[in-house]
Each structure stands twice: as C-alpha cells, then as structure tokens.
C-alpha cells in the first residue's frame, strides 16, 4: 500500500493504516522523545504519538501535493482568512 492509500485509510479510521504510518515515522517520533539527559522518555513518546494522530487527521493531501510540485495556487474552497486559519478553520 502506498503512502496516499495509507493516509486515506488512516483518516477514515483504519487502525492498521494508522499503525503502518506510525511505524514508518517511528524513528522521528522516538528522536523527539528524549529527555534533557538524552534518555528515552515514554511520556514524551506518548505525546509525540498523540501529536502524530492530530497531524494525520488535519493532513491535506491535495495541499501537500501542490506544495511538492510547486503549484501553490490554492483552490478557492480551501482558502480562509488569516484569522480563520489561526482558529483552526480552513486549511
């Protein structure tokens, strides 16, 4: 299953797809889960996992693809005012 399929399935609640994505990015979350002494902290890791789930739900595949290809012209329905973006509305 490719990345796009995993994201789509995970956003629709497929726990196996969520786990597959998390496993793919485990090294990044583990690296951010070290305490001030450089030791692994399971509480920090849990926070990273929680943030990962939030980001996954907010991930906008079309926007990411547009940014990757250099097509940064947003579709009108994706636009919001700067204030709405800060409030979590829009993209």
């Amino acid at each position: 299953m490719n990345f796009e399929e995993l994201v789509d399935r995970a956003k629709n609640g497929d726990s196996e797809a969520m786990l597959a994505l998390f496993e793919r990015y485990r090294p990044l979350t583990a690296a951010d889960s070290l305490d001030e002494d450089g030791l692994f902290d399971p509480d920090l890791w849990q926070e990273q996992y929680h943030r990962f789930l939030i980001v996954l739900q907010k991930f906008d595949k079309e926007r990411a693809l547009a940014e990757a290809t250099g097509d940064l012209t947003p579709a009108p329905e994706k636009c919001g005012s700067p204030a709405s973006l800060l409030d979590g509305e829009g993209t």
Side-chain angles (χ1 to χ4, degrees):
M1 188 175 329
N2 68 34
F3 177 76
E4 288 183 52
E5 291 171 328
L6 282 173
V7 169
D8 289 340
R9 288 179 58 180
K11 288 183 78 163
N12 287 320
D14 183 327
S15 59
E16 288 182 20
M18 284 182 208
L19 182 60
L21 284 168
F22 188 71
E23 288 297 324
R24 183 179 287 189
Y25 293 100
R26 180 184 289 268
L28 295 174
T29 60
D32 284 341
S33 301
L34 305 177
D35 66 14
E36 60 273 355
D37 297 322
L39 301 173
F40 179 76
D41 183 331
D43 291 332
L44 291 174
W45 185 81
Q46 183 176 6
E47 179 63 26
Q48 291 298 322
Y49 185 73
H50 182 251
R51 288 181 184 174
F52 181 85
L53 293 175
I54 291 170
V55 168
L56 177 62
Q57 289 304 312
K58 291 184 176 186
F59 183 73
D60 183 340
K61 184 173 61 174
E62 287 77 24
R63 181 176 176 182
L65 290 172
E67 289 176 1
T69 61
D71 179 15
L72 301 179
T73 307
E77 67 275 4
K78 296 284 186 179
C79 294
S81 70
S84 70
L85 294 174
L86 292 175
D87 292 335
E89 299 172 17
T91 58

